[in-house]
Amino acid sequence: MKYIKLLMISLLLLTGCSSKSDTLNKYDATTTTSGFDTFIKLIAYTKDKDEFDNYFEQLKKGFIYYNQLFDKYNDYKGITNVKTINDNAGIKPVKVNKELINMIELSKEYYELTNHQFDITLGPVLNLWHDAREQGIKANEEGKETTVPSIEALQLAKQIDGYDLIEINKKESTVFLNKEGASIDVGAIAKGYAAEQVAIKLEKNGLKHAIINAGGNVRIIGSKPSSDAWSVGIEIPNKKSMTSDSLASIHSSKSSSFVTSGDYQRYYLHEGKMMHHIIDPSTLQPARHARSVTVICENSGIGDALSTSLFTMSYEDGIKLIDTLKKQGIQVDAVWLYDKNVPAPSGVKTHKVLDYDIVITDGLKDIITFN
Ligand code: AMP
Ligand code: MG
């Protein structure tokens, strides 16, 4: 709940001032009970409130469904999910919904594209960090400190890793983790994937002008009715006040997504360092290349996978990855955020806002304003 509140106050949608356009009216609603441990907000222009409510119901249903499907901690009646797959590691194949197989295959593409930096099979390592973080957050709240997982434990956990562990049988629609102790964690892609599927469904059902904000994971549906752009802010890390101020705003009037991975989103403090939730598979430690990376691209699932991927690699490797994707026809832009603790790479053009150095890809030059 505390996490939800934090995200609520860091809501960064700058939605403009017009509330009416011809026959369409602007409505918004927020749910904190549709999963993903976060708030989900819909802002949309519709004919009337009933129409809006109908879309909002569809949105809630969609997020609840995907949250259950991708959950690795809880069982749900009648649903075979990521937890079921993990529970059956080394035991037996599990019959799953095709969407889960699609997601595992999409994740594999990014595993390969990122030279294994994006790795949903890293479950055993991520579990160690998850447990340490839960204890650490609690201890920090009481003014105390706990520990970090030992290198030995992390290296042992890393031995059960890699896509060789996943056997997919498409005909039978089954997934089998072929080694005891193997586990997958789709936390880096699940929310974006869900946002994309929900947005596609709402668009199909007639919604033309809307914006979904799933805990900072933003998916735009069309322009505003006036054809004006929506503006999406780049969040200030560790912002303390309840302001909607942001470091920069990106303006877009076409269906697109904005996904941020940052060290400030989930962390505990240990010996003055932020022990956060995105782990660099090459060091088995929280990644320290940037304070945050925001990815702007069409598909929110890809955006989510990419923001986590870029966060785990150097700026130079990130640029190379973006170039590779461009060659495949996937348009990707990104915003990297640095500060004195995590400095920007030398020789790269930066924009200074407050105490931060911002680096952007060329594609954003004309659609970004620095605050
Ligand atoms: P995101 O906030 O989208 O960047 O995703 C962070 C979540 O992804 C974490 O809470 C973990 O569940 C998972 N994760 C952390 N590190 C990695 C990694 N290197 N590859 C894939 N998933 C990761
Ligand atoms: Mg992600």
Side-chain angles (χ1 to χ4, degrees):
M1 220 37 207
K2 190 157 177 231
Y3 179 58
I4 290 173
K5 265 192 225 145
L6 262 174
L7 283 164
M8 285 286 285
I9 60 171
S10 60
L11 180 68
L12 282 173
L13 291 181
L14 313 171
T15 51
C17 47
S18 122
S19 65
K20 256 191 177 178
S21 166
D22 297 336
T23 54
L24 294 179
N25 296 303
K26 182 179 168 189
Y27 300 96
D28 70 85
T30 301
T31 167
T32 54
T33 53
S34 301
F36 294 100
D37 199 15
T38 192
F39 75 92
I40 300 164
K41 178 168 184 167
L42 175 68
I43 301 170
Y45 290 84
T46 55
K47 246 185 5 266
D48 53 35
K49 179 82 168 47
D50 281 353
E51 192 188 357
F52 175 85
D53 287 345
N54 185 300
Y55 286 126
F56 190 57
E57 283 308 309
Q58 292 178 34
L59 171 142
K60 285 196 283 186
K61 243 193 205 159
F63 275 101
I64 288 170
Y65 165 72
Y66 286 109
N67 178 60
Q68 295 186 351
L69 192 63
F70 299 143
D71 195 335
K72 71 168 194 172
Y73 297 110
N74 301 292
D75 293 303
Y76 302 92
K77 221 172 149 203
I79 284 216
T80 309
N81 64 4
V82 169
K83 179 170 187 290
T84 327
I85 296 174
N86 290 343
D87 286 349
N88 284 286
I91 301 173
K92 63 174 192 297
V94 172
K95 199 168 180 69
V96 296
N97 176 311
K98 291 216 162 33
E99 267 190 303
L100 208 38
I101 293 185
N102 287 347
M103 138 85 76
I104 293 170
E105 287 187 331
L106 178 65
S107 300
K108 188 175 183 191
E109 273 177 46
Y110 283 84
Y111 175 72
E112 277 154 11
L113 274 166
T114 61
N115 212 3
H116 308 178
Q117 288 296 97
F118 178 83
D119 183 5
I120 67 163
T121 71
L122 198 62
V125 168
L126 297 177
N127 286 339
L128 290 176
W129 277 109
H130 175 266
D131 294 347
R133 197 167 57 247
E134 294 283 290
Q135 287 170 19
I137 290 171
K138 228 167 128 210
N140 285 174
E141 278 169 6
E142 293 162 3
K144 297 182 200 145
E145 278 203 3
T146 46
T147 54
V148 291
S150 72
I151 295 292
E152 292 75 24
L154 289 166
Q155 283 171 346
L156 201 65
K158 179 73 163 68
Q159 286 178 9
I160 309 179
D161 171 61
Y163 263 82
D164 290 349
L165 297 167
I166 308 183
E167 292 177 20
I168 293 177
N169 182 331
K170 277 196 160 170
K171 216 165 139 218
E172 300 290 329
S173 197
T174 61
V175 178
F176 179 39
L177 296 184
N178 58 24
K179 195 166 182 182
E180 195 187 329
S183 78
I184 56 174
D185 178 325
V186 297
I189 182 171
K191 191 158 49 121
Y193 185 94
E196 185 63 27
Q197 300 311 313
V198 169
I200 288 172
K201 184 166 181 198
L202 296 186
E203 275 180 307
K204 224 191 219 159
N205 291 347
L207 187 57
K208 289 194 175 64
H209 314 283
I211 186 159
I212 299 170
N213 183 351
N217 190 326
V218 174
R219 170 61 156 83
I220 289 177
I221 297 176
S223 67
K224 291 185 186 172
S226 52
S227 302
D228 287 350
W230 302 92
S231 297
V232 181
I234 300 294
E235 195 170 27
I236 304 173
N238 302 103
K239 191 158 50 90
K240 291 195 179 70
S241 65
M242 209 168 138
T243 142
S244 65
D245 291 350
S246 54
L247 294 170
S249 301
I250 301 167
H251 314 282
S252 172
S253 51
K254 58 172 197 251
S255 292
S256 49
S257 70
F258 301 73
V259 189
T260 300
S261 289
D263 62 11
Y264 57 93
Q265 291 168 334
R266 224 173 277 201
Y267 69 96
Y268 69 105
L269 287 172
H270 176 73
E271 295 178 350
K273 274 183 156 172
M274 291 170 80
M275 310 312 291
H276 64 79
H277 66 314
I278 305 170
I279 305 304
D280 181 341
S282 57
T283 61
L284 304 181
Q285 299 295 310
R288 308 264 179 227
H289 298 283
R291 294 298 316 277
S292 75
V293 183
T294 300
V295 167
I296 300 95
C297 67
E298 207 175 295
N299 181 304
S300 167
I302 290 176
D304 199 354
L306 274 176
S307 70
T308 310
S309 301
L310 293 182
F311 192 85
T312 65
M313 58 181 74
S314 68
Y315 169 78
E316 292 75 16
D317 286 345
I319 290 289
K320 277 188 213 150
L321 174 59
I322 291 173
D323 285 344
T324 305
L325 289 165
K326 274 189 188 148
K327 282 183 194 132
Q328 294 183 5
I330 302 176
Q331 181 61 39
V332 176
D333 278 295
V335 178
W336 290 260
L337 203 66
Y338 302 95
D339 66 7
K340 63 177 188 326
N341 297 321
V342 189
S346 54
V348 176
K349 181 175 165 48
T350 61
H351 304 262
K352 201 156 193 75
V353 182
L354 299 176
D355 291 332
Y356 297 95
D357 288 309
I358 303 174
V359 176
I360 62 168
T361 48
D362 282 349
L364 297 176
K365 266 195 323 231
D366 299 331
I367 58 166
I368 192 165
T369 46
F370 296 97
N371 300 336

